[in-house]
Amino acid sequence: MARKPSKPHPGARDKATAQALVRWFKANAREMPWRPRPLGIKRDPYVVLVSEIMLQQTQVSRVAPAFERFIARFPTIESLANAPEPDILALWSGLGYYRRAKMLHAAAQAVVSDHAGTMPSTSHALKGLPGVGAYTAAAVASLAFHEPTAMVDGNVTRVLLRFDARRAGASDPKAIAWARSRADALIRHAGPTPAPTLAGEALMELGATVCTPRSPRCDVCPLRTWCVARATGLTDTIPTPKRTKQTPTVRAVSIVLEDHAGRVAIETRPAKGMWASMVQAPTIEWADDSRDATDVAREALALGPSAKLRERERFTHQTTHRRFEFTVLTVRVTDRMKRSIERQRPGLSWATREAIAGMGVSSVQARVLLNGH
DNA sequence: AAGCCGGGGGG
DNA sequence: CCCCCAGGCTT
């Protein structure tokens, strides 16, 4: 009998896609300190946890050196659980979102106290750890235990929205939920273990290096023959843009107080909020733009007329929800002034720049205290 | 559902 | 230089 050209089997597109992903990944996976060779062997779950928490909101190039320092200093989950928080924050310096470091510490302590020091092996159990949400739980379960669960971050959501040409925002919770089930289904077509894990890693790598937010390199994409956005010219309009946010401006003055021995004054920020628990030069923030930084500083530290404040620099520092206008003042202090300032500013202490470089310091305070690292 | 948390890279 | 990005917790 005459056969019509066979219609593609449902799932055939997914199977071809998943296999193409694995092939492409084996040929194009970047070297990373946390990515052991050969690809597809089970990884140390503690090492995966550290690297994935660091990689939340942070780019690979920033994480790589910090990761190596961190693992060298805290090679096991017990060593991390037993460490003082300031030591952990010190190794998190410059990475931002410092609450992640506190929650990683809490997660290590939870593994030691609630799981006898052994990392949980399922994404469901992992989600019970502090700081471990759907993405990180899937990453540890997939990379360390070969659970066939897809890691869905912003990159993967973008790849899949384009692949199926769904017009949605990449941070829309509904779109993320859809992408999770879509990715799970897709990677399970890749073949027997560890193929689903490799396909999942491939989706992440593809989003990071090829299916980028702007100017995606569709010409070299392993999914180009099946991608609906490419076929319909929608690549540049998916994901849909999110509305922009207005950020208030905050003025800040940091005072670099230096004594005769070359030590400078430092204090620790509150345990919650911006730059939580990080070390800084005495810093005052205010919103009223009519006030002068030098006046604010003089008043806050109760500096007398003999204290010579010099303005070293002004710069702006943008964060997600605030725009800071920093003024940096320097002043040499006598022993008499030190005692007066210490009474005015409880919790203040004195340290050499060398010592401060080994503490938890934000990027902006590294600029203030250490001339930028 | 919306807001909070840093920092760097790309156009 | 402005614009963009994004996981998990808290409210």
Side-chain angles (χ1 to χ4, degrees), chain A residues 70-116:
Chain A
F70 196 96
I71 291 295
R73 174 74 177 72
F74 306 117
T76 64
I77 198 154
E78 290 82 10
S79 64
L80 181 61
N82 294 330
E85 186 179 281
D87 290 5
I88 299 170
L89 293 175
L91 293 189
W92 216 268
S93 291
L95 291 177
Y97 290 97
Y98 298 97
R99 194 173 53 158
R100 293 180 298 170
K102 293 168 176 253
M103 287 193 291
L104 176 59
H105 192 200
Q109 292 176 333
V111 169
V112 168
S113 63
D114 303 346
H115 302 272

Short mmCIF file of all heavy atoms in Angstrom, two decimals, chain A residues 70-116:
data_model
loop_
_atom_site.label_atom_id
_atom_site.label_comp_id
_atom_site.label_asym_id
_atom_site.label_seq_id
_atom_site.Cartn_x
_atom_site.Cartn_y
_atom_site.Cartn_z
N PHE A 70 37.54 28.92 48.43
CA PHE A 70 36.56 28.44 49.42
C PHE A 70 36.76 26.95 49.71
O PHE A 70 36.80 26.52 50.87
CB PHE A 70 35.16 28.70 48.89
CG PHE A 70 34.08 28.61 49.93
CD1 PHE A 70 33.62 29.77 50.55
CD2 PHE A 70 33.51 27.39 50.28
CE1 PHE A 70 32.62 29.70 51.52
CE2 PHE A 70 32.51 27.32 51.23
CZ PHE A 70 32.06 28.47 51.85
N ILE A 71 36.90 26.15 48.66
CA ILE A 71 37.05 24.70 48.84
C ILE A 71 38.40 24.37 49.48
O ILE A 71 38.50 23.43 50.28
CB ILE A 71 36.87 23.98 47.49
CG1 ILE A 71 35.41 24.08 47.04
CG2 ILE A 71 37.29 22.51 47.61
CD1 ILE A 71 34.41 23.36 47.93
N ALA A 72 39.41 25.14 49.17
CA ALA A 72 40.71 24.90 49.80
C ALA A 72 40.62 25.15 51.31
O ALA A 72 41.20 24.42 52.12
CB ALA A 72 41.78 25.80 49.18
N ARG A 73 39.85 26.17 51.68
CA ARG A 73 39.73 26.51 53.10
C ARG A 73 38.71 25.62 53.82
O ARG A 73 38.88 25.30 54.99
CB ARG A 73 39.33 27.98 53.21
CG ARG A 73 39.03 28.50 54.58
CD ARG A 73 40.28 28.70 55.41
NE ARG A 73 39.95 29.27 56.71
CZ ARG A 73 39.36 28.60 57.69
NH1 ARG A 73 39.06 27.32 57.51
NH2 ARG A 73 39.07 29.18 58.82
N PHE A 74 37.64 25.25 53.12
CA PHE A 74 36.58 24.41 53.71
C PHE A 74 36.37 23.18 52.82
O PHE A 74 35.41 23.12 52.06
CB PHE A 74 35.27 25.20 53.83
CG PHE A 74 35.40 26.49 54.59
CD1 PHE A 74 35.16 27.70 53.96
CD2 PHE A 74 35.76 26.50 55.93
CE1 PHE A 74 35.29 28.90 54.65
CE2 PHE A 74 35.89 27.70 56.63
CZ PHE A 74 35.65 28.90 55.99
N PRO A 75 37.25 22.19 52.93
CA PRO A 75 37.20 21.05 52.00
C PRO A 75 36.04 20.10 52.26
O PRO A 75 35.67 19.33 51.37
CB PRO A 75 38.55 20.36 52.21
CG PRO A 75 39.00 20.79 53.55
CD PRO A 75 38.43 22.15 53.82
N THR A 76 35.48 20.13 53.46
CA THR A 76 34.39 19.20 53.79
C THR A 76 33.23 19.97 54.39
O THR A 76 33.39 21.10 54.87
CB THR A 76 34.85 18.16 54.82
OG1 THR A 76 35.16 18.84 56.05
CG2 THR A 76 36.07 17.40 54.33
N ILE A 77 32.08 19.33 54.39
CA ILE A 77 30.91 19.99 54.95
C ILE A 77 31.05 20.20 56.46
O ILE A 77 30.55 21.18 57.01
CB ILE A 77 29.63 19.22 54.58
CG1 ILE A 77 28.41 20.12 54.77
CG2 ILE A 77 29.51 17.93 55.36
CD1 ILE A 77 27.23 19.75 53.92
N GLU A 78 31.78 19.28 57.13
CA GLU A 78 32.01 19.46 58.57
C GLU A 78 32.87 20.71 58.81
O GLU A 78 32.61 21.48 59.75
CB GLU A 78 32.71 18.23 59.17
CG GLU A 78 31.85 16.99 59.27
CD GLU A 78 31.79 16.23 57.95
OE1 GLU A 78 32.55 16.57 57.02
OE2 GLU A 78 30.96 15.31 57.86
N SER A 79 33.90 20.89 57.99
CA SER A 79 34.77 22.04 58.21
C SER A 79 33.99 23.34 58.01
O SER A 79 34.22 24.32 58.72
CB SER A 79 35.98 21.98 57.26
OG SER A 79 35.57 22.08 55.91
N LEU A 80 33.05 23.33 57.08
CA LEU A 80 32.23 24.53 56.87
C LEU A 80 31.26 24.74 58.04
O LEU A 80 31.09 25.84 58.54
CB LEU A 80 31.47 24.42 55.55
CG LEU A 80 30.61 25.61 55.19
CD1 LEU A 80 31.44 26.88 55.05
CD2 LEU A 80 29.83 25.35 53.90
N ALA A 81 30.64 23.65 58.46
CA ALA A 81 29.67 23.75 59.56
C ALA A 81 30.32 24.29 60.83
O ALA A 81 29.70 25.04 61.58
CB ALA A 81 29.05 22.38 59.82
N ASN A 82 31.58 23.91 61.05
CA ASN A 82 32.27 24.30 62.28
C ASN A 82 32.96 25.66 62.19
O ASN A 82 33.51 26.13 63.18
CB ASN A 82 33.32 23.24 62.64
CG ASN A 82 32.67 21.91 63.02
OD1 ASN A 82 31.55 21.89 63.53
ND2 ASN A 82 33.35 20.81 62.75
N ALA A 83 32.96 26.28 61.02
CA ALA A 83 33.70 27.53 60.84
C ALA A 83 32.94 28.71 61.44
O ALA A 83 31.71 28.72 61.45
CB ALA A 83 33.95 27.77 59.35
N PRO A 84 33.65 29.73 61.92
CA PRO A 84 32.99 30.97 62.34
C PRO A 84 32.47 31.72 61.12
O PRO A 84 33.14 31.73 60.07
CB PRO A 84 34.09 31.77 63.03
CG PRO A 84 35.30 30.91 63.05
CD PRO A 84 35.11 29.79 62.09
N GLU A 85 31.31 32.35 61.28
CA GLU A 85 30.71 33.05 60.14
C GLU A 85 31.63 34.11 59.50
O GLU A 85 31.68 34.22 58.28
CB GLU A 85 29.38 33.70 60.54
CG GLU A 85 28.66 34.32 59.36
CD GLU A 85 27.33 34.95 59.75
OE1 GLU A 85 26.36 34.19 59.91
OE2 GLU A 85 27.28 36.18 59.90
N PRO A 86 32.37 34.88 60.30
CA PRO A 86 33.24 35.89 59.66
C PRO A 86 34.25 35.27 58.69
O PRO A 86 34.59 35.89 57.66
CB PRO A 86 33.93 36.55 60.85
CG PRO A 86 32.98 36.37 61.98
CD PRO A 86 32.36 35.03 61.76
N ASP A 87 34.73 34.06 58.99
CA ASP A 87 35.68 33.41 58.08
C ASP A 87 35.01 33.07 56.75
O ASP A 87 35.63 33.13 55.67
CB ASP A 87 36.22 32.11 58.71
CG ASP A 87 37.15 32.38 59.89
OD1 ASP A 87 37.28 33.55 60.27
OD2 ASP A 87 37.73 31.41 60.41
N ILE A 88 33.73 32.69 56.83
CA ILE A 88 33.01 32.34 55.61
C ILE A 88 32.73 33.59 54.79
O ILE A 88 32.94 33.62 53.57
CB ILE A 88 31.71 31.59 55.98
CG1 ILE A 88 32.05 30.29 56.73
CG2 ILE A 88 30.88 31.30 54.73
CD1 ILE A 88 30.85 29.61 57.35
N LEU A 89 32.31 34.65 55.47
CA LEU A 89 32.05 35.91 54.76
C LEU A 89 33.32 36.45 54.11
O LEU A 89 33.27 37.07 53.05
CB LEU A 89 31.46 36.94 55.72
CG LEU A 89 30.05 36.62 56.23
CD1 LEU A 89 29.61 37.64 57.28
CD2 LEU A 89 29.05 36.57 55.08
N ALA A 90 34.47 36.21 54.76
CA ALA A 90 35.73 36.69 54.18
C ALA A 90 35.95 36.08 52.81
O ALA A 90 36.39 36.75 51.88
CB ALA A 90 36.89 36.35 55.12
N LEU A 91 35.64 34.79 52.68
CA LEU A 91 35.85 34.13 51.40
C LEU A 91 34.73 34.43 50.41
O LEU A 91 34.80 34.04 49.25
CB LEU A 91 35.98 32.62 51.61
CG LEU A 91 37.24 32.20 52.38
CD1 LEU A 91 37.40 30.70 52.36
CD2 LEU A 91 38.48 32.85 51.79
N TRP A 92 33.67 35.08 50.88
CA TRP A 92 32.57 35.47 49.99
C TRP A 92 32.75 36.92 49.51
O TRP A 92 31.94 37.44 48.76
CB TRP A 92 31.23 35.32 50.72
CG TRP A 92 30.11 34.86 49.85
CD1 TRP A 92 29.23 35.66 49.16
CD2 TRP A 92 29.74 33.52 49.53
NE1 TRP A 92 28.34 34.91 48.46
CE2 TRP A 92 28.63 33.58 48.66
CE3 TRP A 92 30.23 32.26 49.88
CZ2 TRP A 92 28.00 32.44 48.15
CZ3 TRP A 92 29.61 31.14 49.39
CH2 TRP A 92 28.51 31.24 48.53
N SER A 93 33.79 37.57 49.97
CA SER A 93 34.00 38.99 49.65
C SER A 93 33.92 39.24 48.15
O SER A 93 34.53 38.53 47.35
CB SER A 93 35.37 39.45 50.14
OG SER A 93 35.40 39.46 51.55
N GLY A 94 33.14 40.24 47.79
CA GLY A 94 33.06 40.65 46.39
C GLY A 94 32.02 39.90 45.58
O GLY A 94 31.74 40.28 44.44
N LEU A 95 31.45 38.83 46.14
CA LEU A 95 30.48 38.05 45.36
C LEU A 95 29.06 38.61 45.48
O LEU A 95 28.21 38.28 44.65
CB LEU A 95 30.49 36.59 45.81
CG LEU A 95 31.74 35.78 45.47
CD1 LEU A 95 31.62 34.37 46.04
CD2 LEU A 95 31.96 35.72 43.96
N GLY A 96 28.80 39.40 46.49
CA GLY A 96 27.46 39.96 46.65
C GLY A 96 26.46 38.97 47.24
O GLY A 96 26.78 37.80 47.46
N TYR A 97 25.27 39.44 47.49
CA TYR A 97 24.21 38.60 48.08
C TYR A 97 24.77 37.77 49.23
O TYR A 97 24.74 36.55 49.21
CB TYR A 97 23.58 37.70 47.02
CG TYR A 97 22.73 38.45 46.03
CD1 TYR A 97 23.26 38.82 44.80
CD2 TYR A 97 21.42 38.79 46.32
CE1 TYR A 97 22.48 39.52 43.89
CE2 TYR A 97 20.65 39.49 45.42
CZ TYR A 97 21.19 39.86 44.20
OH TYR A 97 20.43 40.53 43.31
N TYR A 98 25.27 38.48 50.25
CA TYR A 98 26.02 37.82 51.31
C TYR A 98 25.17 36.90 52.18
O TYR A 98 25.69 36.03 52.87
CB TYR A 98 26.76 38.89 52.15
CG TYR A 98 27.74 39.62 51.26
CD1 TYR A 98 27.44 40.84 50.68
CD2 TYR A 98 28.95 39.01 50.92
CE1 TYR A 98 28.32 41.47 49.81
CE2 TYR A 98 29.83 39.63 50.05
CZ TYR A 98 29.52 40.85 49.50
OH TYR A 98 30.39 41.45 48.62
N ARG A 99 23.85 37.07 52.08
CA ARG A 99 22.97 36.16 52.82
C ARG A 99 23.14 34.71 52.34
O ARG A 99 22.91 33.76 53.08
CB ARG A 99 21.51 36.61 52.66
CG ARG A 99 20.58 35.95 53.64
CD ARG A 99 19.18 36.54 53.57
NE ARG A 99 18.64 36.53 52.22
CZ ARG A 99 17.35 36.58 51.95
NH1 ARG A 99 16.47 36.66 52.95
NH2 ARG A 99 16.91 36.59 50.73
N ARG A 100 23.54 34.56 51.07
CA ARG A 100 23.78 33.21 50.55
C ARG A 100 24.84 32.50 51.39
O ARG A 100 24.75 31.29 51.63
CB ARG A 100 24.28 33.27 49.11
CG ARG A 100 23.29 33.76 48.11
CD ARG A 100 23.91 33.77 46.73
NE ARG A 100 25.05 34.68 46.63
CZ ARG A 100 25.87 34.72 45.58
NH1 ARG A 100 25.73 33.88 44.57
NH2 ARG A 100 26.86 35.58 45.54
N ALA A 101 25.88 33.24 51.77
CA ALA A 101 26.97 32.62 52.55
C ALA A 101 26.46 32.21 53.93
O ALA A 101 26.81 31.15 54.44
CB ALA A 101 28.13 33.61 52.68
N LYS A 102 25.62 33.05 54.53
CA LYS A 102 25.05 32.71 55.84
C LYS A 102 24.16 31.47 55.71
O LYS A 102 24.16 30.60 56.59
CB LYS A 102 24.23 33.88 56.37
CG LYS A 102 25.05 35.11 56.72
CD LYS A 102 24.11 36.29 56.96
CE LYS A 102 24.86 37.53 57.40
NZ LYS A 102 24.65 37.83 58.84
N MET A 103 23.38 31.40 54.63
CA MET A 103 22.48 30.26 54.48
C MET A 103 23.25 28.99 54.13
O MET A 103 22.86 27.89 54.55
CB MET A 103 21.40 30.58 53.45
CG MET A 103 20.39 31.56 54.01
SD MET A 103 18.90 31.73 53.05
CE MET A 103 19.55 32.52 51.61
N LEU A 104 24.33 29.12 53.37
CA LEU A 104 25.17 27.95 53.09
C LEU A 104 25.76 27.40 54.39
O LEU A 104 25.81 26.19 54.60
CB LEU A 104 26.28 28.33 52.11
CG LEU A 104 27.31 27.24 51.79
CD1 LEU A 104 26.63 26.01 51.19
CD2 LEU A 104 28.37 27.78 50.83
N HIS A 105 26.17 28.32 55.26
CA HIS A 105 26.67 27.93 56.58
C HIS A 105 25.58 27.16 57.34
O HIS A 105 25.82 26.08 57.88
CB HIS A 105 27.08 29.19 57.35
CG HIS A 105 27.86 28.94 58.59
ND1 HIS A 105 27.97 29.87 59.60
CD2 HIS A 105 28.56 27.86 59.01
CE1 HIS A 105 28.72 29.38 60.57
NE2 HIS A 105 29.09 28.15 60.24
N ALA A 106 24.37 27.71 57.34
CA ALA A 106 23.25 27.06 58.04
C ALA A 106 22.92 25.71 57.40
O ALA A 106 22.59 24.75 58.10
CB ALA A 106 22.02 27.98 58.00
N ALA A 107 23.04 25.62 56.08
CA ALA A 107 22.77 24.35 55.41
C ALA A 107 23.80 23.30 55.82
O ALA A 107 23.44 22.14 56.08
CB ALA A 107 22.80 24.54 53.88
N ALA A 108 25.05 23.71 55.90
CA ALA A 108 26.10 22.76 56.33
C ALA A 108 25.82 22.28 57.74
O ALA A 108 25.95 21.09 58.04
CB ALA A 108 27.47 23.44 56.24
N GLN A 109 25.42 23.20 58.61
CA GLN A 109 25.12 22.80 59.99
C GLN A 109 23.91 21.89 60.05
O GLN A 109 23.86 20.95 60.84
CB GLN A 109 24.91 24.06 60.85
CG GLN A 109 26.21 24.84 61.01
CD GLN A 109 26.04 26.16 61.77
OE1 GLN A 109 24.97 26.75 61.76
NE2 GLN A 109 27.10 26.60 62.40
N ALA A 110 22.92 22.13 59.17
CA ALA A 110 21.74 21.26 59.14
C ALA A 110 22.10 19.86 58.66
O ALA A 110 21.59 18.86 59.19
CB ALA A 110 20.67 21.87 58.22
N VAL A 111 23.00 19.76 57.68
CA VAL A 111 23.41 18.44 57.20
C VAL A 111 24.12 17.67 58.31
O VAL A 111 23.89 16.48 58.50
CB VAL A 111 24.31 18.57 55.94
CG1 VAL A 111 24.95 17.23 55.59
CG2 VAL A 111 23.49 19.10 54.77
N VAL A 112 24.98 18.39 59.04
CA VAL A 112 25.72 17.73 60.12
C VAL A 112 24.77 17.31 61.24
O VAL A 112 24.83 16.18 61.74
CB VAL A 112 26.83 18.66 60.65
CG1 VAL A 112 27.42 18.12 61.95
CG2 VAL A 112 27.93 18.79 59.60
N SER A 113 23.85 18.20 61.63
CA SER A 113 23.04 17.88 62.80
C SER A 113 21.82 17.02 62.47
O SER A 113 21.42 16.20 63.28
CB SER A 113 22.59 19.18 63.48
OG SER A 113 21.76 19.92 62.61
N ASP A 114 21.24 17.19 61.26
CA ASP A 114 20.01 16.46 60.94
C ASP A 114 20.22 15.27 60.02
O ASP A 114 19.33 14.44 59.87
CB ASP A 114 18.99 17.41 60.28
CG ASP A 114 18.67 18.61 61.16
OD1 ASP A 114 19.03 18.58 62.36
OD2 ASP A 114 18.08 19.57 60.64
N HIS A 115 21.37 15.20 59.35
CA HIS A 115 21.59 14.13 58.37
C HIS A 115 22.91 13.42 58.61
O HIS A 115 23.50 12.85 57.68
CB HIS A 115 21.54 14.68 56.95
CG HIS A 115 20.26 15.38 56.59
ND1 HIS A 115 19.17 14.71 56.06
CD2 HIS A 115 19.88 16.68 56.70
CE1 HIS A 115 18.18 15.57 55.86
NE2 HIS A 115 18.59 16.78 56.23
N ALA A 116 23.40 13.47 59.85
CA ALA A 116 24.63 12.76 60.23
C ALA A 116 25.81 13.12 59.33
O ALA A 116 26.70 12.30 59.10
CB ALA A 116 24.39 11.24 60.23
#
